[in-house]
Amino acid sequence: EIGWCDWSSDVCSSDLVVWRERTGERRMPAYELDMQELPLFHELTSAEIERFLLSTEAQVKRYGKGTRILEAYQSNEQIGVMVEGVAQVVAEDRFGNETVGHTLHRGDMMGSSSAILPQMRCNTSVEALSSVLVLWVPYRSLLVAGPRLGRIHGIVMKNLLETFCRKNVLMMQKIEVLSKKTLRERLILYLLQQMERQQTKRVEVPGRIQLAKELECNRSALTREIGAMQAVGLLSCGADWMLLHEEKVAEGRRRPHGDAGRLVDRKSVV
């Protein structure tokens, strides 16, 4: 962890120090972090967001790459919102075995299960894949802030419920990917899902090791499959991006015994 910013005190991170030196302000405004763009604060103004942060005593913390933001089976009383960076959800069992879950980007949430249901031991950790900035909102403070915040509280709670629904969709998409019998089917469905989520045909993807973990396959097998898909014109890719040629996928569905056979229907993506 590199540092943190408390909207209700003078203790602050290096980010806030820079902000102070540049502007003379004693705290970092919400608009400096573009928090009005986060799904949790949809329909709120910057001034309303700052009022919410003050009322709930929310904090912003920065974590370095490779840092565990949340640890499995440990108590947690706050709901986290990704403000900057990329993180990875990792499920752990009691024997120390890990299963990689979905990736967290700006606007995504973490820690909600352990904060809302403290009696349930949460088996998921969150690890920073880059430098990460997280907004932490104390759950108990959120619950009792309604009378003080009025309309602002209602909007945040509505956005919170919508975020929970999106999280459930991600979990179902993960299950759908892992249910596919072949690695090619898994990769194609994964890319189709990412296209829907990122709203672009050329999608950002993690490195091969991380991608293999997400698809729960051997990295060498994944590399071979990517090469084979490139050879038949199904895929173009770089170090951190992939472009699925959907017209070739459609041809493969019409030629079930061809090189591009056994492919995934685009309509199956949630």
Side-chain angles (χ1 to χ4, degrees), residues 51-64:
R51 183 182 170 193
F52 171 85
L53 298 175
L54 284 167
S55 296
T56 58
E57 299 182 345
Q59 300 175 355
V60 169
K61 294 186 180 181
R62 185 174 292 282
Y63 301 85

Side-chain angles (χ1 to χ4, degrees), residues 86-90 99-103 105 129 174 177-178 182-195 197-198 203-227 229-230 235-244:
V86 182
Q88 183 76 61
V89 177
V90 181
T99 302
V100 174
H102 57 277
T103 304
H105 299 270
L129 298 181
K174 175 77 172 183
V177 166
L178 297 182
T182 69
L183 179 53
R184 180 169 296 191
E185 289 176 327
R186 288 189 184 186
L187 181 56
I188 289 176
L189 181 55
Y190 172 86
L191 292 175
L192 290 174
Q193 291 175 352
Q194 290 301 314
M195 288 164 61
R197 188 177 184 190
Q198 299 181 28
V203 299
E204 295 181 4
V205 295
R208 298 294 185 264
I209 295 177
Q210 190 67 33
L211 182 57
K213 289 181 179 180
E214 292 194 31
L215 297 177
E216 294 193 10
C217 66
N218 180 273
R219 182 178 63 85
S220 298
L222 176 61
T223 301
R224 287 195 299 270
E225 187 59 51
I226 290 174
M229 292 175 67
Q230 287 179 295
L235 187 68
S236 297
C237 62
D240 59 356
W241 62 270
M242 287 187 179
L243 174 63
L244 183 68

Side-chain angles (χ1 to χ4, degrees), residues 1-171:
E1 180 180 325
I2 297 176
W4 60 280
C5 165
D6 186 342
W7 262 260
S8 61
S9 75
D10 289 335
V11 183
C12 58
S13 69
S14 57
D15 290 336
L16 186 51
V17 171
V18 171
W19 171 259
R20 282 182 175 178
E21 291 176 349
R22 189 168 72 245
T23 67
E25 295 287 336
R26 296 190 61 78
R27 57 188 172 85
M28 186 182 297
Y31 63 76
E32 176 70 4
L33 298 175
D34 294 323
M35 286 193 181
Q36 67 275 12
E37 298 177 359
L38 300 177
L40 182 64
F41 299 128
H42 179 60
E43 297 181 4
L44 294 181
T45 65
S46 296
E48 289 174 326
I49 294 170
E50 285 209 50
R51 183 182 170 193
F52 171 85
L53 298 175
L54 284 167
S55 296
T56 58
E57 299 182 345
Q59 300 175 355
V60 169
K61 294 186 180 181
R62 185 174 292 282
Y63 301 85
K65 181 179 179 180
T67 304
R68 280 293 172 99
I69 302 172
L70 285 175
E71 292 284 355
Y73 303 107
Q74 292 190 2
S75 61
N76 167 56
E77 298 178 348
Q78 303 179 93
I79 296 175
V81 184
M82 293 281 291
V83 179
E84 293 178 2
V86 182
Q88 183 76 61
V89 177
V90 181
E92 301 180 14
D93 62 25
R94 290 292 185 175
F95 302 101
N97 300 312
E98 296 185 350
T99 302
V100 174
H102 57 277
T103 304
L104 299 175
H105 299 270
R106 176 174 166 82
D108 291 335
M109 298 177 60
M110 67 181 77
S112 54
S113 297
S114 54
I116 296 173
L117 299 172
Q119 70 275 18
M120 303 292 291
R121 303 292 286 178
C122 184
N123 70 330
T124 55
S125 300
V126 177
E127 181 174 333
L129 298 181
S130 66
S131 177
V132 169
L133 199 64
V134 180
L135 170 68
W136 291 106
V137 181
Y139 176 60
R140 294 300 174 187
S141 297
L142 175 63
L143 289 180
V144 301
R148 296 192 304 273
L149 294 175
R151 166 186 169 275
I152 297 174
H153 185 263
I155 291 176
V156 170
M157 295 304 291
K158 175 184 74 71
N159 293 337
L160 190 65
L161 292 174
E162 291 178 355
T163 301
F164 289 159
C165 291
R166 284 193 292 270
K167 186 175 180 180
N168 288 335
V169 170
L170 288 176
M171 292 176 63

Side-chain angles (χ1 to χ4, degrees), residues 246-263:
E246 293 187 81
E247 67 281 1
K248 289 289 185 178
V249 175
E251 289 178 12
R253 288 201 298 271
R254 292 192 293 269
R255 275 188 297 110
H257 300 294
D259 292 331
R262 305 184 309 280
L263 299 180

